[in-house]
Each structure stands twice: as C-alpha cells, then as structure tokens.
Amino acid sequence: MGAQPKVVITGVGLVTPLGHDVPTTWQAVLDGKSGVKALTQDWADDLSSKVAGQINLEITSVLDKTAARRMDRSTQLAMIAAKQAVSDADVANNVDSERLGVAFGTGIGGLSTVMEQMQILNERGPDRVNPLTVPMIMPNAAAAMIELEIGAKAGAHAPVSACATSAEAIAWGTSMIRDGRADVVVVGGTEAVINRLAMAAFSAMRAMSTRNDDPQTASRPYDLGRDGFVMSEGAGALVLERYEHALARKAHIYAEVAGFGMTSDAHHIAAPDPEGAGAARAMLAAVKDADANLTDVMHLNAHATSTPLGDIAEGAAVRRAFGSHTDSIAVTAPKSSIGHTLGGAGAIESILTVLSMVNKIIPATINVIDLDPKVNLDVVHGDHRSLTKGSILALNNSFGFGGHNVCVALRTI
Amino acid sequence: MTTEEVMKEMAAILDEVAGVSADQVAMGKSFVDDLDVDSLSMVEVVMAAEDKFGVKIPDEEVKNLRTVGDAVNFIIKSS
C-alpha cells in the first residue's frame, strides 16, 4: 500500500429496469434478462425510437410522499439507490457527519420537470409555476437531497459529464477520502429522461436504436446488427470508505476502488475519437493509479452502448492501451441487459463489476447474435465466464458526450 | 361554502402538499410553528387553495395568514 489512504466499497444500492434493488438486478443480469420494453405511451407514437428500459415502481411505496413530491424522478431514483447503499453500509453506525460526504451526479437532470412546468407556464401563466421547480431541476438536486437525508457535512458535489457522470462521481468520492476531507462518501449517479423531448433529441442525433419490433434485443453491443443505444432510467449508489475506518467499525467490505483515470478527447462534441487515444489514456491512468501492471487486468466492464461507431472505438482504445494482453481481458457489456442509463451507468456498472469480482462470475453479454469482428475483443457471450484467480483487478469504462473518458479500477480485497 | 367545508378541503391540501395529517389541522394551528409548513410549501398551499376555491390570495395577504383559521376566513370572505 502506498502513502495515500486505501478506499473501499462498503455499501451498494441499485434501482434499474431489471430490478428495484441489488440482488434482483444482479440475478436478472445472470439470468440473461432484458429490461427493455416497447414504449406504449401516446406521446411515443410518432417517435423513431419507441423502446426503453423503464422502472415500474410505485415511488411512494419506498419514499415518503411529501419528500417525493419535492423531487424530480431522477432524484427520486437517486434517493432510493442511496438509501439502500447507506443502509447496506450501516452508515448510521459510527460515522461522523462532518466526515461524511456526497458525490452524486446526473447526465441531464430534471428535464421531465422542466417539460411539465413549461406546459403549466404556457397554459396557465407564470403564477402557476411550482415554487419547487428550481430545487427539482438543478443538476445538483440529487447530491443535495442525499446530503440532507443522511446529514452529510463534509461536502456534497455533483460532477456532470454526460454518460461518464457517475463514474466521475466515484473518482470524486475516492479523491475526497484520499485528500483527507472525508472518511465516508456516498457516490453515484442517476437518470430519468424517458420523455418525449429526450427521446426525440437523442433520435435526432441518430444515436438510438429503432428496433421497435423487437425491444428485448434492441440493445445489442458488439453485435453486427446493432443500430444505436436504448434509453433507460435508473440509479446506482455506492458507499466509499477509508479502509481503516471500515475495519474499525467492522463494516462489510465488497472491494477496493484501486484507482481511476480521467481524460478528455478534444475531438468532437458527440463522436468518439476513432483511434480511442483519450479512452486508452484513461485506462492506462487507472491501472497506474491502482499501482498495478497492465497484465494484472483480467476483466473489463465496457461502456459499449450498442452504437455502430462507439463499440468499435472502445475496442480500439482497449487494444491501444493493452496491446497483446487485450486478448486476455474478458469483456462484458451490461447495457445489453439494462440499456443505457446515461448518468446512472457508471455507478450501476461499477456495482455489477464488483458483484462479478465478489461472485467470481462474469455475466454474458446478451443479444450478441453475430459478433462484429471489428470489435476485436474477448467478448463474454453465450455463457457466463468464471473468474478463478484469487486477486482480481477489473476496469469499468464510462464515456460521455463531450469526450469525457473515465475508467475506474476495482480490486478484490 | 361553510367553514367546515373549507376546513376539510384545506386539510386535504395540507396533506397532499406538506404531509400534514388531517387530525392535526385545526383553526388555531399555525402553519409554520405547529404544522411545520416551510415557506416553499406555503406557496404551494396558497396556489392549491386558489385553484380549489377560485380565489386570489395576494402575496401581501399571505403573510397575514398565520393560522389555518386565518386562511379559512380569508377564503370564505373572498369567495
């Protein structure tokens, strides 16, 4: 161990289209299920992409009714995941509130609330606009509401980097502990923009799948027939903790956040750098930060959103970073099951990576019917893959529009 | 509307907006001190009451509505 404090994961929480908690979501991933369904709402009739991963949960069955009405759906989902993680880590037990922090983000935030209030403004006038609109739509709403809920006083931050947001939140939380600002940080991300505007806007970019006749296979990373990502909603939360602090209060430790790498492409506002240089640098930086060798990396939980260009660019980036060791890295793409939760993805998928390490099993990427040879990675598909070696180092990639590349390195304890 | 009818509707609004249970609502109860209705929720309560009773409650009047009874009497007087 180096000079800087070791950071470990002591709690996890999930709410996804596959399940409303961690065990249900994990089991659904292992069962090869898809959380994607047809959008049957009237507002979706004329959209080109009419499939999405929706969460069918009565929010007020898990959140207080009055608290829930002060939150956009994105914050509601964030709160559900955060409460699970905080309960799992037993944060109420022996954590000083002034040493407790939050780093929680969203890619887009309260867009659905914006749309609702815009309609009220236009139809009924300015004096009918909800007085809670601002705290509902601000991008730091989830971070702030979680901070209030758990009484975190070490600082609450809301990193925003599109679909890399919650991976960046993991990095921020890790830094807070390494810098000595906090002993425990609740990190993660959320998204809930299955609405007419977001669906139309991503479709206008030609980024989304239009496989409307077969929702369950619409998200198919690495398959030759992939035609874009599938919009999903969801949130993931992790409790990060200084290792000695976790030991002292006898917290259950899942794994170590061994390191992270963050770079930017300076290439294009939406398209990935086809050579994957920035993504490769992020992966290399994460391995270096973990004080590990490139050949230690056994598993990659890929960003792989099921877009024609993105999946190939990530493959190129992995090969650029790891050279011939690339063929020894087992790669899986959980967006095949969950779809793309944008700002929630990095946290959700880091949790799945941790569960893979703990349970020593890499879930198969579903919907790979014809593996695209241009991807050129060892994609786990068809059957799950066992992880047999004792100590496991795994990476989780998240990339966001704007050229944000974040790689989180996770290691078994 | 009778005082009882307005009270009943106000209780429903307070439950919906601020999570105040109906048995707590009484004419003499202060919104802020007794029912824990914060300033943002108070704006919501006023807006919901305006919609429900078809009245206008000006901002300068809201500060005079300290208790549930103040609000009920204002609504009856204005409607």
Side-chain angles (χ1 to χ4, degrees):
Chain A
M1 200 186 123
Q4 62 187 357
K6 183 163 153 178
V7 176
V8 295
I9 298 162
T10 55
V12 290
L14 284 176
V15 55
T16 74
L18 288 176
H20 305 152
D21 57 27
V22 173
T24 315
T25 298
W26 174 244
Q27 190 56 50
V29 169
L30 289 180
D31 291 344
K33 287 187 179 159
S34 165
V36 179
K37 292 194 175 76
L39 276 178
T40 54
Q41 294 90 331
D42 290 345
W43 56 256
D45 276 352
D46 59 351
L47 296 175
S48 57
S49 177
K50 289 190 271 196
V51 293
Q54 292 179 284
I55 293 169
N56 294 311
L57 170 66
E58 188 60 54
I59 297 290
T60 52
S61 70
V62 279
L63 294 183
D64 172 72
K65 183 184 72 162
T66 308
R69 62 177 274 121
R70 293 188 155 210
M71 303 174 194
D72 177 77
R73 183 170 173 84
S74 58
T75 300
Q76 293 171 346
L77 298 181
M79 186 62 76
I80 292 167
K83 284 182 138 187
Q84 290 173 16
V86 163
S87 166
D88 187 29
D90 196 14
V91 168
N93 172 26
N94 290 325
V95 179
D96 176 355
S97 63
E98 292 189 5
R99 302 284 300 162
L100 175 62
V102 178
F104 216 102
T106 174
I108 296 176
L111 182 63
S112 300
T113 299
V114 171
M115 291 168 66
E116 283 167 20
Q117 294 305 316
M118 195 72 208
Q119 190 167 356
I120 289 171
L121 175 64
N122 288 338
E123 290 176 0
R124 304 192 58 208
D127 66 352
R128 295 294 101 182
V129 169
N130 187 334
L132 294 161
T133 302
V134 171
M136 286 169 79
I137 68 176
M138 58 192 195
N140 59 316
M145 284 296 190
I146 293 166
E147 165 224 320
L148 282 166
E149 173 68 25
I150 66 174
K153 297 177 183 169
H157 307 282
V160 173
S161 49
C163 305
T165 290
S166 53
E168 190 167 332
I170 295 171
W172 277 55
T174 303
S175 292
M176 284 178 81
I177 293 170
R178 286 177 173 181
D179 293 348
R181 291 182 55 212
D183 293 322
V184 178
V185 187
V186 178
V187 303
T190 185
E191 208 73 71
V193 288
I194 301 177
N195 60 49
R196 186 164 161 76
L197 178 56
M199 295 295 290
F202 280 108
S203 288
M205 299 178 84
R206 309 295 185 265
M208 300 184 89
S209 173
T210 57
R211 197 177 293 277
N212 299 322
D213 58 347
D214 192 2
Q216 302 265 298
T217 73
S219 185
R220 48 171 78 192
Y222 304 134
D223 180 75
L224 270 174
R226 68 190 183 280
D227 69 336
F229 81 86
V230 172
M231 175 77 84
S232 286
E233 58 184 354
L238 303 91
V239 174
L240 305 188
E241 185 161 0
R242 190 165 56 80
Y243 180 55
E244 287 77 9
H245 192 271
L247 288 180
R249 65 181 195 97
K250 298 186 171 58
H252 171 71
I253 297 172
Y254 286 89
E256 177 192 5
V257 180
F260 59 84
M262 297 198 278
T263 65
S264 47
D265 283 342
H267 169 74
H268 186 271
I269 190 61
D273 172 0
E275 295 184 5
R281 283 188 295 117
M283 287 182 261
L284 291 172
V287 174
K288 188 178 178 203
D289 191 34
D291 198 20
N293 298 312
L294 293 180
T295 51
D296 293 334
V297 176
M298 305 169 69
H299 170 43
L300 169 66
N301 191 301
H303 183 62
T305 63
S306 179
T307 61
L309 290 179
D311 293 6
I312 290 175
E314 185 178 10
V318 175
R319 201 155 283 278
R320 187 183 180 106
F322 292 94
S324 61
H325 180 65
T326 301
D327 299 319
S328 305
I329 301 174
V331 178
T332 197
K335 289 185 183 76
S336 60
S337 298
I338 294 175
H340 193 357
T341 53
L342 313 183
I348 291 170
E349 292 165 13
S350 281
I351 292 169
L352 295 177
T353 310
V354 167
L355 295 174
S356 291
M357 293 160 59
V358 169
N359 295 295
K360 303 222 180 295
I361 186 166
I362 301 170
T365 307
I366 66 168
N367 298 332
V368 182
I369 297 149
D370 294 306
L371 182 63
D372 184 348
K374 289 205 210 66
V375 169
N376 203 13
L377 295 171
D378 176 17
V379 176
V380 178
H381 65 294
D383 294 312
H384 303 325
R385 185 91 54 91
S386 295
L387 277 164
T388 48
K389 200 177 147 188
S391 174
I392 300 161
L393 182 69
L395 303 181
N396 175 223
N397 276 345
S398 297
F399 311 133
F401 281 168
H404 308 274
N405 308 300
V406 182
C407 179
V408 176
L410 300 156
R411 187 159 44 206
T412 47
I413 286 292
Chain B
M1 288 180 94
T2 66
T3 302
E4 286 68 33
E5 285 166 342
V6 175
M7 268 291 285
K8 195 168 168 237
E9 294 295 348
M10 280 300 288
I13 288 170
L14 282 162
D15 174 40
E16 173 68 24
V17 169
V20 177
S21 67
D23 56 4
Q24 288 182 269
V25 179
M27 290 292 271
K29 292 284 180 76
S30 156
F31 289 110
V32 175
D33 299 332
D34 298 326
L35 304 179
D36 205 21
V37 176
D38 69 16
S39 62
L40 286 176
S41 286
M42 193 62 202
V43 180
E44 276 197 285
V45 169
V46 167
M47 285 169 60
E50 287 179 334
D51 284 350
K52 188 80 210 172
F53 302 110
V55 299
K56 178 77 192 145
I57 309 175
D59 279 358
E60 57 272 22
E61 191 60 46
V62 172
K63 62 177 179 292
N64 300 326
L65 306 180
R66 199 181 65 79
T67 65
V68 175
D70 294 339
V72 169
N73 290 332
F74 182 86
I75 288 161
I76 289 170
K77 192 175 63 168
S78 310
S79 57

